[in-house]
Amino acid sequence: MLTLARDLRRRKARERTGDFVAEGVRTVEELVRSPLEVRGALVSPALAEAPRGAALRAALEARGVPITDVDEHAFASAADTESPQGVLAVGRIPARDVAQLTGLAEGRILVLDAIQDPGNVGTIVRTAAAFGVAATIALPGTVDLWNAKVVRSAMGAHFTHPAFAATWDALDSLAGWPRWAADTDGAPLAPPYPRKVMLVVGNEGNGISTEARSRAERVVSIPIAHVESLNVAVATSILLYELRA
Amino acid sequence: MLTLARDLRRRKARERTGDFVAEGVRTVEELVRSPLEVRGALVSPALAEAPRGAALRAALEARGVPITDVDEHAFASAADTESPQGVLAVGRIPARDVAQLTGLAEGRILVLDAIQDPGNVGTIVRTAAAFGVAATIALPGTVDLWNAKVVRSAMGAHFTHPAFAATWDALDSLAGWPRWAADTDGAPLAPPYPRKVMLVVGNEGNGISTEARSRAERVVSIPIAHVESLNVAVATSILLYELRA
């Protein structure tokens, strides 16, 4: 478990094994509560001192999750955070793809086009879940959704919310979804809104790619003053709030 | 300049001197463009290689800002970021207080009640500026607004947006502002909205304090599903968007 957890810090290892790491009391609590398969947990003595630590250990045992106890030094070698809470768990990345979205009569699909900050992406997945978005899809160039910091920032949201990676080709196979791209030069977002929208949001510094722009039926924006732009997680959250059903 | 910049990493030094540090090309660009006093800049050879680096050096010189050239090692000892872009500037914290808000006929005042993550606070200041909020006020227990990471996350917003620290006593001296507090158990936010609102948002983990709650006329929330809460910067941004004039 220790070797596997260390290995899973690399994206390539996550892609090869199909496993990911959830770190910290809150995130592991959400994982244990979720329908995802949990392969094992790594625990250090710090967990016993953490609030809800004993309850979490009991929950892991009750679900039959194998627990490996290690010392603080070994734990730190696998942990992503600087002040880990003495617990991480290895889960199975769920099989999800665009096929599960066919037949949807209404809703919003969120597409992340080369968003690179793990904290931003995790926050966006958390908000997308909160507003009932049908799926959050990460295009190539976006940080891996199963990066430990993304998972932590999402507060467990993508254990239940359909977040997954896909290509433009896969998105093109989804018919009947008007594509809107968000950028600072777009038309101010205003109702009425269609029953179905696929919303594409872009990179922190560069905005949406030319590929996204050329495929968009509309480019929309949030009217702002005094500053050049909003943080991408903030802008995406406001757009999802405005477009909520 | 090097010693001063190093010293200003501590809140106590910022409070004693009235100076703060702006770090990175983008933030220093905004500082040079702002009305704030700039006391000096620290530059390493990395700046010459940074995009817009030469233009920024010229802008500093044009404003008569004294530039101290140091090597990368010395620069790193004063910088807050792990990959600094070879430039930081020391500015004067502007004199701002609640007195400048008296007589305002309408608007929104945002109050931060013990928000602790610098990235969240910076993002909130950036959004508050974007939506024309009259002032962002940090109560005791909130991270210092002039912390280098807050300044960087705000992308220069608080060089022009009135963001400052104040106590509940100072806020109490502002008459005629209905106080609303935001928390997950509040009533769903819905129009119509009054011409003046003072919105209090609370700590990442604990929500608003009992002090804030007891002083609030209304507790409001953003309706969400599937997750327990939104990120505090996201929630605050959506509230400011919804309450925008």
Side-chain angles (χ1 to χ4, degrees), chain B residues 15-167:
Chain B
E15 288 171 348
R16 178 170 42 77
T17 60
D19 294 328
F20 74 97
V21 170
E23 203 172 301
V25 172
R26 171 81 185 269
T27 311
V28 176
E29 280 175 351
E30 294 291 339
L31 179 62
V32 170
R33 220 175 277 156
S34 83
L36 298 197
E37 184 185 336
V38 187
R39 296 171 59 86
L42 199 67
V43 166
S44 82
L47 182 63
E49 267 100 80
R52 309 194 305 271
L56 177 54
R57 187 175 186 115
L60 286 162
E61 283 166 353
R63 239 193 95 161
V65 175
I67 295 177
T68 306
D69 286 288
V70 295
D71 64 25
E72 301 301 348
H73 183 75
F75 189 88
S77 73
D80 182 66
T81 29
E82 276 178 45
S83 46
Q85 297 161 301
V87 63
L88 63 79
V90 173
R92 291 290 292 170
I93 297 173
R96 295 167 175 167
D97 64 39
V98 295
Q100 71 192 78
L101 298 169
T102 53
L104 216 61
E106 55 182 19
R108 277 77 182 97
I109 293 174
L110 178 64
V111 178
L112 311 183
D113 182 19
I115 302 187
Q116 296 183 334
D117 180 76
N120 281 338
V121 170
T123 300
I124 288 171
V125 171
R126 181 178 175 190
T127 308
F131 291 135
V133 168
T136 298
I137 299 173
L139 287 170
T142 297
V143 64
D144 180 20
L145 289 169
W146 299 96
N147 166 305
K149 186 162 178 359
V150 175
V151 170
R152 205 166 57 246
S153 301
M155 295 275 184
H158 48 341
F159 303 157
T160 49
H161 172 68
F164 55 89
T167 60

Side-chain angles (χ1 to χ4, degrees), chain A residues 116-124 143 149-150 153-154 233, chain B residues 231:
Chain A
Q116 294 181 337
D117 180 77
N120 281 339
V121 171
T123 300
I124 288 171
V143 65
K149 189 164 178 353
V150 175
S153 301
Chain B
N231 165 279

Side-chain angles (χ1 to χ4, degrees), chain A residues 194-211:
Chain A
R195 294 171 69 199
K196 299 169 85 167
V197 173
M198 182 183 288
L199 177 71
V200 185
V201 294
N203 177 269
E204 288 85 350
N206 307 321
I208 52 170
S209 63
T210 50
E211 195 154 18

Side-chain angles (χ1 to χ4, degrees), chain A residues 45-234:
Chain A
L47 182 63
E49 266 100 79
R52 309 195 304 270
L56 177 54
R57 188 176 184 113
L60 285 162
E61 283 167 353
R63 240 194 96 162
V65 175
I67 296 176
T68 307
D69 287 287
V70 295
D71 65 25
E72 300 302 348
H73 183 74
F75 189 87
S77 73
D80 182 66
T81 31
E82 276 180 44
S83 45
Q85 297 162 302
V87 64
L88 64 77
V90 173
R92 291 290 292 170
I93 297 173
R96 294 167 176 166
D97 65 40
V98 295
Q100 70 191 81
L101 298 168
T102 52
L104 218 60
E106 56 181 20
R108 277 75 181 99
I109 293 173
L110 178 65
V111 177
L112 312 182
D113 182 19
I115 303 188
Q116 294 181 337
D117 180 77
N120 281 339
V121 171
T123 300
I124 288 171
V125 171
R126 182 178 174 188
T127 308
F131 291 136
V133 168
T136 298
I137 298 173
L139 286 170
T142 297
V143 65
D144 179 22
L145 290 169
W146 299 96
N147 167 308
K149 189 164 178 353
V150 175
V151 170
R152 206 166 56 247
S153 301
M155 295 275 184
H158 48 341
F159 302 158
T160 49
H161 172 68
F164 54 91
T167 61
W168 275 118
D169 283 350
L171 288 186
D172 287 344
S173 73
L174 266 181
W177 287 86
R179 276 193 204 145
W180 292 9
D183 213 339
T184 50
D185 65 352
L189 194 65
Y193 303 119
R195 294 171 69 199
K196 299 169 85 167
V197 173
M198 182 183 288
L199 177 71
V200 185
V201 294
N203 177 269
E204 288 85 350
N206 307 321
I208 52 170
S209 63
T210 50
E211 195 154 18
R213 194 175 280 267
S214 70
R215 287 164 194 249
E217 182 177 295
R218 283 182 64 180
V219 181
V220 297
S221 71
I222 303 162
I224 55 169
H226 311 295
V227 295
E228 275 179 45
S229 64
L230 295 168
N231 164 279
V232 66
V234 163

